[in-house]
Amino acid sequence: MEDLIENLTRGNVTEVKVVLASVLLALAVYQLVLAAVSYRKVRLRFLDSGPATWVHRASGDTIIVLAVLVAVACLSYYGFEEGGAHAVFGCLLLGALALKVLAVRIGGSSSPLLPWIGIALFGLFAATWLTSAGDFLGAS
Amino acid sequence: MRPSAQIIGSILVALAIAAVAIAVVTAHFGPTSSAELEVQEERIEQREEAREERAEAREERREQAAEAREDR
């Protein structure tokens, strides 16, 4: 697995991970905006609640796929030992993602838990990014 | 605005956000193409060579000055 990741990224595992994690964080910010429009907390003339919900879900599906890819690359290449706070935040993030998917599947889109899980997810995305990509970009 | 147009617009915004994030982060890494890296390495080598030549010239001048002093 380690060789596969090294070959796919042409030896730039950290750089690819930093780029993907940054895309994830940027999309997570966009998800917050879409969720606010979806719950009618923010009203925009050019975007209604229905389309915002649809795109929030589509973008969320993309985020899940990307997050799983980054997590697999991270765990198989670096493992848990070097992780520290980043590993803890990463695991909590994956757990929160799974919880949100479950909440949507079981409770539907009207589940009162969803906004709270969403906010927690965003916080975890930010914390996970800050403890790896943020550190790396700050150092370089 | 029609809902389908809103959806397409929102998806395009998401793609633009992803593209900007990729551009900003890769710009932070600097040049990554092998051609650009080779040019960079060449420049560093040239700078080192020039520095070594200057040091040698300085050393020679110092030796010549010492020899001239001894001759006197």
Side-chain angles (χ1 to χ4, degrees):
Chain A
M1 193 67 182
E2 208 175 313
D3 288 339
L4 175 71
I5 290 163
E6 182 108 24
N7 286 335
L8 282 174
T9 58
R10 294 186 178 180
N12 303 305
V13 182
T14 308
E15 285 81 359
V16 170
K17 207 173 84 83
V18 166
V19 170
L20 287 178
S22 302
V23 169
L24 278 172
L25 185 67
L27 286 178
V29 174
Y30 188 48
Q31 285 290 83
L32 277 188
V33 176
L34 287 174
V37 175
S38 180
Y39 283 107
R40 295 190 175 86
K41 298 288 178 196
V42 174
R43 287 176 194 275
L44 300 174
R45 270 186 304 149
F46 49 85
L47 185 61
D48 297 330
S49 172
T53 307
W54 195 92
V55 177
H56 180 82
R57 278 213 176 177
S59 177
D61 290 344
T62 311
I63 286 177
I64 290 174
V65 173
L66 280 178
V68 169
L69 279 176
V70 172
V72 168
C74 200
L75 283 175
S76 54
Y77 197 79
Y78 297 102
F80 275 107
E81 294 82 20
E82 295 172 35
H86 175 68
V88 174
F89 287 132
C91 289
L92 287 173
L93 171 63
L94 289 177
L97 269 176
L99 193 67
K100 188 155 191 237
V101 172
L102 269 178
V104 172
R105 296 278 170 243
I106 294 168
S109 56
S110 57
S111 168
L113 279 176
L114 279 179
W116 300 109
I117 302 173
I119 290 167
L121 254 177
F122 176 75
L124 287 168
F125 264 120
T128 311
W129 184 87
L130 278 172
T131 48
S132 65
D135 267 354
F136 185 80
L137 289 172
S140 67
Chain B
M1 209 190 286
R2 282 187 307 162
S4 57
Q6 291 182 22
I7 288 173
I8 291 168
S10 305
I11 290 172
L12 288 177
V13 170
L15 290 174
I17 288 170
V20 168
I22 292 170
V24 169
V25 177
T26 45
H28 197 92
F29 290 144
T32 49
S33 83
S34 54
E36 278 178 81
L37 290 173
E38 271 173 31
V39 169
Q40 240 181 16
E41 274 170 26
E42 256 175 50
R43 244 180 256 151
I44 291 168
E45 273 173 28
Q46 279 174 352
R47 236 176 280 156
E48 275 173 14
E49 275 172 25
R51 203 178 301 147
E52 276 169 23
E53 276 172 23
R54 269 196 307 257
E56 275 173 26
R58 216 177 299 141
E59 192 68 30
E60 265 176 39
R61 256 181 277 141
R62 213 174 294 151
E63 278 172 19
Q64 279 172 354
E67 276 172 22
R69 237 176 283 142
E70 277 172 22
D71 287 345
R72 260 186 256 146

